[in-house]
């Protein structure tokens, strides 16, 4: 019967595929993004951020960048930047989601925490010419984003997505470039979730004492730490790039320690990701390593 | 009733030719993006940057080469299995036009950045509607032919074809639901984690309904044709069929392990992925056992090589896939190059191998001649096989290496390698992968030449025969 009647066959096949569909795709609508998932601090995108998100989609950045910190310890350590793993509530305004399936480049879910500079100087330099900050990068150059942003649909987008906005928000978008928009989007990612705070900001007082008075013993480790965490802003050889040159410094050890620990302006804080010993080792490298590579 | 059926094959030819053209585009773009990953200077801003080209590559591969040749071959197979001429040749021609217009506009629109970003559903809504129309027109044509059939029994290939017709329609429509902003942009109606869950329900079942069911339909038709052996077990085929289409739909979340998607959905996906080994291998065994006592055909019959190699890669693919669906293993390889290794074993080793065999056979039949050169077909076989193996193996090694470097931590819990250290380690593999693309391309060129010569031979025989 079944083998002979194509109409019955098609209906049956449809029903069979709908079983798994219902359980794993339709039923979960009941919970996902429900009140239990919401996170108080998470705000919808501003007009400029949403324009930036649309440019992110247009350029297909999602083909190389994911946007979810998995619950794995290594993921949290690498991409959490003080936040923990990703939760549903962080994405309730994302239409579509942009989690991606490949990490040709690093995860960007919390990238706003990694580069706190409000002007986005690092992002601009990096997007214009990624190899100028990370020489071995294979990310394409996006210098062409320095062109006027088309704002024709900005207001309609906000209405359609049901995001709140003010006339001021809309005025802010006028005269901006596409680069401004995508940087605003990068700056927002991850910044409205609760993060682990570094213990009360370190004060550069006299009782902060550098335990390392000799560069020799710490040089190798300090260089490797520097390459990992600092080179993207201060240059491969500490010659300076977005951040100032760190080949020697007039500042005191304690001052340097405090800046690295607390951050300042475009300089992120490392107090929660590097322990004191490591920070001191880098202070030693900065102070004494004027001619060392 | 006994008069021989007159089959109508002009659209079959059209679809086969155009699918080969789009397949070549896919491979060329694939080679370009594989080179861009090594030399970013090869990005031509803004239209030919990696982020815009990669979806062109995947769409040309899956929709242009895959679906294009499936449509052509299904028009061919369905007529033979039902002993009925195609329901509407006019509609088939219209479908071909729409198909080519659709794929060409897809490529242009993706290069211009009109991209919904949901994988394998990137096209903006006007084009998504065109794709849906193409699929429905094709489905109606095939279904009506089956309905009007003269052969009562429906052979197993028809089952897989019909399942794909319904399956793809449901999946594609739901995952494309959105609200249009204007003609060029829309926003998904689902948000965040919901959108992710819908997308991968779609994404994984695109694998089931596009990259599994149709090639299986083709495999089940052509293996007996090519070898002269009937399929080993019709009953095993039936059981495997129903369990396959039942289980696949549960597994989408194996693309989302360790993410905010609820744990129980992930666990179900994991369990069903492992169970999928059974129906998948049902088809593999059915293929192998059909060859029982006839294995010398692997040497004597060039088409058997393609088909058996293809089903073998399908077998490996359906062991590797479930392994990737296990949380602990996924932690290592998810997001890494391992996955493109998996994808291309399926796309190049399974889908394309079966398509090559089917196209050789069908073209020779339609032109009522023999293949131009078996030797060239052998050369083609070895080139694409080596190309695919080099691609997959280099990417597996790269994936495991990068995956373990990314997860490596020091005793104090800090990370051992920076992201860039892990990336610099895999550049050599990226270079080898680009080379594998050229090897594969060489195989493809031999294939195209051979097909062209076969058609030419058929045409001259025909004109000679019609001379008095
Ligand atoms: C032999 C020539 C080919 C080369 C050199 C090639 C190269 C590539 C590259 C470089 C990527 C991006 C991988 C990444 O994200 O790191 C890719 C992805 C992909 N390719 Fe190919 N490709 C080829 C043939 C094909 C064909 C013929 C198909 C389809 C039938 C195909 C389907 C895909 C798919 C579906 C993806 C996405 C994989 C994912 O999301 O993980 N490719 N290919
Ligand atoms: C039992 C069968 C299979 C299972 C359980 C399975 C499982 C998986 C899993 C778990 C992934 C995600 C990997 C990751 O991102 O971590 C994946 C990716 C993929 N598989 Fe399979 N696989 C199966 C068969 C196949 C077959 C036959 C093909 C045919 C070509 C295929 C094509 C793909 C593609 C294209 C992707 C990439 C999706 C993307 O990220 O864009 N799979 N598979």
């Amino acid at each position: 019967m079944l083998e002979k009647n194509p109409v019955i066959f098609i209906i049956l096949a449809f029903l069979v595929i709908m079983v798994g569909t219902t359980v794993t795709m339709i039923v979960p609508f009941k919970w996902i993004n429900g009140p239990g998932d919401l996170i108080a601090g998470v705000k919808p995108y501003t007009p400029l951020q949403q324009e930036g998100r649309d440019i992110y989609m247009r350029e297909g950045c999602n083909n190389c960048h994911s946007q979810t910190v998995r619950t794995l310890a290594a993921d949290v350590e690498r991409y959490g930047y003080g936040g923990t793993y990703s939760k549903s509530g962080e994405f309730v305004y994302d239409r579509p989601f942009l989690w991606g399936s490949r990490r040709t480049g690093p995860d960007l879910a919390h990238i706003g925490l990694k580069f706190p500079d409000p002007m986005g100087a690092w992002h601009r330099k990096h997007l214009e010419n990624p190899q100028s900050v990370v020489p071995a990068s294979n990310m394409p150059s996006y210098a062409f984003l320095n062109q006027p942003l088309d704002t024709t649909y900005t207001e309609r987008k906000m209405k359609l997505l049901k995001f709140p906005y003010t006339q001021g928000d809309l005025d802010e978008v006028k005269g901006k470039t596409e680069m401004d928009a995508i940087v605003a989007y990068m700056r927002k990612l991850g910044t409205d979730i609760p993060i682990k705070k570094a213990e009360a900001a370190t004060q550069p007082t006299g009782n902060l004492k550098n335990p390392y008075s000799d560069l020799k013993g710490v040089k190798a480790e300090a260089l490797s730490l520097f390459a990992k965490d600092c080179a993207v802003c201060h240059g491969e050889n500490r010659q300076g790039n977005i951040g100032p040159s760190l080949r020697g410094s007039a500042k005191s050890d304690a001052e340097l320690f405090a800046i690295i620990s607390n951050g300042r302006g475009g300089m992120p804080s490392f107090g929660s990701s590097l322990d004191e010993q490591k920070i001191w080792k880098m202070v030693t490298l900065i102070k004494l390593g004027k001619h060392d590579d | 009733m006994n008069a021989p059926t007159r089959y109508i094959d002009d659209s079959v030819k059209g679809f086969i030719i155009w699918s080969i053209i789009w397949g070549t585009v896919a491979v060329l773009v694939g080679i370009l993006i594989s080179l861009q990953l090594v030399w970013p200077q090869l990005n031509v801003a803004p239209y030919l940057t990696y982020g815009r080209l990669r979806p062109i590559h995947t769409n040309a591969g899956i929709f242009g080469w895959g679906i294009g040749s499936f449509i052509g071959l299904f028009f061919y197979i369905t007529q033979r299995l039902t002993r009925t001429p195609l329901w509407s040749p006019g509609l088939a021609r219209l479908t071909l036009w729409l198909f080519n217009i659709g794929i060409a506009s897809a490529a242009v629109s993706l290069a211009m950045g009109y991209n919904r970003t949901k994988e394998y559903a990137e096209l903006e809504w006007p084009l998504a509607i065109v794709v849906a129309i193409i699929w429905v027109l094709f489905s109606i044509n095939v279904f009506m032919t089956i309905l009007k059939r003269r052969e009562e029994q429906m052979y197993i290939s028809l089952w897989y074809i019909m399942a794909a017709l319904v399956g793809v329609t449901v999946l594609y429509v739901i995952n494309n639901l959105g609200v249009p902003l204007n003609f060029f942009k829309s926003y998904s109606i689902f948000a965040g984690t919901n959108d992710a869950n819908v997308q991968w329900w779609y994404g994984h079942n695109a694998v089931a309904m596009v990259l599994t069911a149709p090639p299986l339909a083709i495999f089940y038709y052509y293996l007996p044709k090519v070898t002269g052996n009937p399929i080993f077990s019709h009953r095993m085929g039936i059981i495997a069929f129903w369990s396959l289409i039942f289980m696949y739909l549960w597994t989408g979340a194996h693309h989302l392990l360790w993410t905010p998607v609820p744990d129980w959905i992930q666990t179900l996906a994991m369990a069903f992925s492992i169970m999928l080994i059974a129906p998948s291998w049902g088809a593999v065994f059915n293929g192998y056992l059909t060859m029982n006592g006839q294995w010398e055909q692997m040497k004597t019959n060039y088409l058997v090589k393609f088909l058996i190699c293809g089903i073998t890669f399908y077998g490996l693919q359906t062991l590797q896939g479930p392994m990737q669906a296990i949380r602990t293993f996924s932690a290592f390889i998810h997001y890494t190059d391992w996955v493109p290794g998996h994808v291309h074993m399926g796309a190049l080793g399974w889908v394309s191998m079966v398509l090559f065999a089917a196209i050789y056979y069908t073209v020779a039949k339609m032109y009522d001649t023999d293949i131009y050169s078996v030797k060239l077909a052998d050369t083609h076989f070895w080139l694409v096989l080596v190309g695919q193996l080099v691609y997959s193996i280099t990417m597996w090694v790269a994936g495991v290496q990068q995956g373990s470097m990314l997860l490596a931590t020091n005793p104090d819990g800090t990370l051992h390698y920076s992201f860039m250290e892990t990336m610099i380690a895999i550049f050599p593999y990226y270079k080898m992968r680009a080379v594998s693309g050229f090897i594969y391309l060489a195989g493809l060129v031999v294939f195209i030449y051979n097909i062209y010569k076969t058609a030419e031979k058929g045409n001259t025989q025909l004109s000679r025969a019609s001379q008095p």
Side-chain angles (χ1 to χ4, degrees):
Chain A
M1 177 61 192
L2 198 94
E3 273 115 290
K4 305 215 170 114
N5 189 332
V7 177
I8 295 186
F9 175 88
I10 285 249
I11 294 172
L12 213 71
F14 173 74
L15 292 176
V16 167
I17 64 172
M18 285 315 283
V19 181
T21 299
T22 308
V23 178
T24 63
M25 194 274 272
I26 299 176
V27 171
F29 283 129
K30 234 174 113 54
W31 296 285
I32 298 176
N33 293 351
D37 280 347
L38 297 184
I39 299 173
V42 175
K43 291 182 287 294
Y45 297 98
T46 65
L48 191 61
Q49 290 164 349
Q50 182 61 41
E51 289 293 353
R53 193 169 198 272
D54 288 343
I55 293 165
Y56 186 93
M57 291 172 63
R58 184 186 78 194
E59 297 311 329
C61 310
N62 58 298
N63 286 296
C64 289
H65 291 288
S66 60
Q67 285 189 21
T68 16
V69 184
R70 292 178 295 174
T71 45
L72 303 165
D75 252 44
V76 174
E77 180 75 16
R78 190 179 294 281
Y79 300 123
Y81 306 118
T84 59
Y85 53 86
S86 294
K87 310 206 176 58
S88 277
E90 290 169 44
F91 306 102
V92 290
Y93 299 112
D94 290 10
R95 288 167 55 180
F97 81 118
L98 288 174
W99 294 0
S101 69
R102 269 289 279 125
R103 280 180 183 162
T104 308
D107 188 88
L108 300 180
H110 295 170
I111 197 69
L113 297 170
K114 177 169 180 182
F115 297 109
D117 172 16
M119 302 310 296
W122 188 86
H123 285 303
R124 284 167 206 274
K125 180 140 202 224
H126 180 249
L127 283 164
E128 272 166 24
N129 184 356
Q131 289 71 32
S132 73
V133 272
V134 183
S137 177
N138 64 7
M139 176 160 147
S141 144
Y142 288 98
F144 65 89
L145 294 180
N146 285 318
Q147 58 180 339
L149 179 68
D150 177 2
T151 57
T152 324
Y153 292 99
T154 310
E155 187 167 9
R156 195 184 309 174
K157 285 179 182 177
M158 299 304 281
K159 286 201 175 120
L160 201 111
L161 293 165
K162 302 200 177 63
F163 292 166
Y165 63 95
T166 61
Q167 190 54 44
D169 292 336
L170 292 178
D171 293 342
E172 183 205 23
V173 176
K174 297 261 148 38
K176 287 286 191 317
T177 62
E178 295 190 335
M179 184 66 86
D180 296 328
I182 199 160
V183 170
Y185 174 57
M186 291 289 106
R187 289 264 308 107
K188 142 111 176 166
L189 287 176
T191 51
D192 41 14
I193 50 166
I195 54 165
K196 275 191 305 199
K197 284 254 157 46
E199 296 81 53
T202 320
Q203 294 306 316
T205 57
N207 40 7
L208 275 178
K209 240 188 122 48
N210 190 348
Y212 306 103
S213 52
D214 183 22
L215 181 59
K216 254 206 214 110
V218 301
K219 184 173 148 188
E221 190 188 350
L223 280 174
S224 124
L225 285 170
F226 188 88
K228 232 183 269 181
D229 286 324
C230 325
V232 287
C233 293
H234 292 282
E236 297 266 287
N237 302 310
R238 310 191 302 291
Q239 75 279 25
N241 193 334
I242 292 290
S245 161
L246 296 178
R247 299 185 80 98
S249 172
K251 294 203 167 61
S252 74
D253 283 19
E255 273 175 297
L256 292 176
F257 183 92
I259 294 174
I260 298 170
S261 188
N262 306 336
R264 197 182 74 191
M267 163 77 193
S269 73
F270 287 89
S272 57
S273 61
L274 296 174
D275 64 35
E276 274 185 32
Q277 302 310 312
K278 287 192 173 133
I279 298 183
W280 280 126
K281 285 172 189 163
M282 280 198 272
V283 169
T284 312
L285 176 70
I286 293 167
K287 288 286 281 189
L288 304 178
K290 207 163 178 162
H291 305 290
D292 295 75
D293 280 308
Chain B
M1 191 69 194
N2 285 333
T5 316
R6 287 186 65 94
Y7 300 127
I8 301 150
D9 287 337
D10 55 332
S11 300
V12 178
K13 285 179 197 164
F15 269 105
I16 288 180
I17 292 170
W18 280 101
S19 75
I20 295 175
I21 292 172
W22 293 120
T24 311
V25 171
V27 169
L28 290 173
V29 178
I31 292 176
L32 175 57
I33 60 175
S34 69
L35 293 169
Q36 285 177 338
L37 286 179
V38 187
W39 293 286
Q41 312 83 283
L42 295 175
N43 286 282
V44 184
Y47 302 110
L48 304 182
T49 46
Y50 181 88
R52 296 191 186 192
L53 284 172
R54 191 181 183 276
I56 297 182
H57 167 66
T58 59
N59 279 277
I62 295 179
F63 291 86
W65 165 233
I67 291 192
S69 48
F70 298 151
I71 295 181
L73 293 168
F74 288 178
F75 283 157
Y76 179 88
I77 296 176
T78 310
Q79 297 185 75
R80 270 75 185 172
L81 286 177
T82 56
R83 292 198 292 114
T84 310
L86 195 62
W87 181 66
S88 167
L91 192 61
R93 275 191 299 274
L94 175 70
T95 313
L96 178 60
W97 273 100
L98 275 179
F99 171 78
N100 283 321
I101 295 169
I103 301 282
S105 344
V108 172
S109 78
L110 289 170
M112 294 180 65
Y114 303 126
N115 182 347
R116 299 176 70 242
T117 71
K118 293 177 75 167
E119 273 180 90
Y120 318 123
E122 285 93 348
L123 305 180
E124 266 304 346
W125 66 273
L127 276 174
I129 290 175
V130 172
V131 171
I133 291 174
I134 294 167
W135 188 260
V136 169
L137 292 183
F138 150 69
S139 299
I140 292 174
N141 219 345
V142 167
F143 191 70
M144 291 308 287
T145 309
I146 297 177
L147 217 54
K148 293 202 167 320
R149 72 195 185 284
R150 293 209 262 161
E151 171 71 52
E152 214 187 7
Q153 193 67 33
M154 292 200 296
Y155 180 65
I156 184 137
S157 292
L158 293 180
W159 295 39
Y160 279 105
I161 292 175
M162 285 196 285
L165 300 186
V166 218
V168 171
T169 310
V170 174
L171 292 161
Y172 196 77
V173 170
I174 294 183
N175 194 41
N176 272 286
L177 293 178
V179 273
L181 173 78
N182 55 31
F183 193 69
F184 300 105
K185 186 158 180 73
S186 62
Y187 291 106
S188 174
I189 64 163
F190 313 107
T193 307
N194 271 328
D195 199 41
N197 199 40
V198 173
Q199 155 62 26
W200 286 111
W201 162 81
Y202 165 85
H204 190 68
N205 291 294
V207 169
M209 297 298 170
V210 178
L211 301 176
T212 298
L216 277 177
I218 292 167
F219 178 78
Y220 274 119
Y221 177 80
Y222 285 92
L223 188 67
K225 283 282 169 206
V226 163
T227 59
N229 310 343
I231 203 77
F232 169 73
S233 164
H234 200 249
R235 156 164 301 200
M236 184 154 108
I238 290 171
I239 297 172
F241 170 82
W242 288 107
S243 30
L244 188 92
I245 68 166
F246 175 73
M247 289 177 191
Y248 246 105
L249 283 291
W250 296 73
T251 57
H254 65 209
H255 293 262
L256 297 167
L257 300 175
W258 307 99
T259 71
V261 166
D263 270 349
W264 62 269
I265 307 180
Q266 298 182 24
T267 307
L268 275 178
M270 214 161 99
F272 274 87
S273 300
I274 292 164
M275 291 194 286
L276 261 178
I277 296 175
S280 307
W281 273 79
V284 178
F285 279 125
N286 226 344
Y288 285 162
L289 293 172
T290 300
M291 296 305 296
N292 241 349
Q294 299 272 329
W295 282 101
E296 84 286 350
Q297 286 205 24
M298 278 293 275
K299 280 210 204 107
T300 55
N301 185 338
Y302 72 103
L303 291 175
V304 171
K305 270 206 299 257
F306 282 96
L307 288 171
I308 291 299
C309 209
I311 199 76
T312 303
F313 282 121
Y314 176 67
L316 296 176
Q317 186 81 351
T318 54
L319 289 178
Q320 185 182 57
M323 194 164 96
Q324 294 165 188
I326 297 171
R327 276 204 185 85
T328 39
F329 193 67
S330 168
F332 261 95
I333 54 85
H334 186 46
Y335 298 128
T336 71
D337 283 294
W338 174 283
V339 183
H342 170 73
V343 171
H344 290 81
M345 172 162 72
L348 306 178
W350 156 234
V351 180
S352 300
M353 282 286 189
V354 169
L355 286 178
F356 289 139
I359 291 174
Y360 274 132
Y361 179 91
T362 308
V363 167
K365 276 273 177 225
M366 285 189 304
Y367 286 88
D368 204 7
T369 181
D370 292 325
I371 184 174
Y372 169 71
S373 161
V374 173
K375 223 179 179 160
L376 282 181
D378 277 332
T379 314
H380 163 217
F381 173 81
W382 287 108
L383 284 171
V384 293
L385 179 67
V386 170
Q388 179 251 313
L389 285 175
V390 174
Y391 188 124
S392 292
I393 292 170
T394 52
M395 289 303 100
W396 292 328
V397 177
V400 171
Q401 184 166 336
Q402 193 183 23
S404 34
M405 286 173 87
L406 285 167
L407 292 189
T409 47
N410 299 319
D412 62 357
T414 53
L415 298 164
H416 195 71
Y417 297 101
S418 69
F419 179 83
M420 283 313 291
E421 283 174 298
T422 73
M423 188 166 145
I424 289 165
I426 59 173
F427 275 128
Y429 304 112
Y430 276 174
K431 291 185 187 153
M432 285 186 252
R433 187 250 310 266
V435 172
S436 81
F438 284 106
I439 300 174
Y440 194 89
L441 179 65
L444 197 61
V445 169
V446 174
F447 168 69
I448 293 170
Y449 179 75
N450 210 358
I451 290 289
Y452 173 76
K453 283 300 212 185
T454 305
E456 194 182 63
K457 189 171 130 195
N459 282 337
T460 38
Q461 279 171 354
L462 192 71
S463 55
R464 227 176 269 142
S466 58
Q467 262 153 32

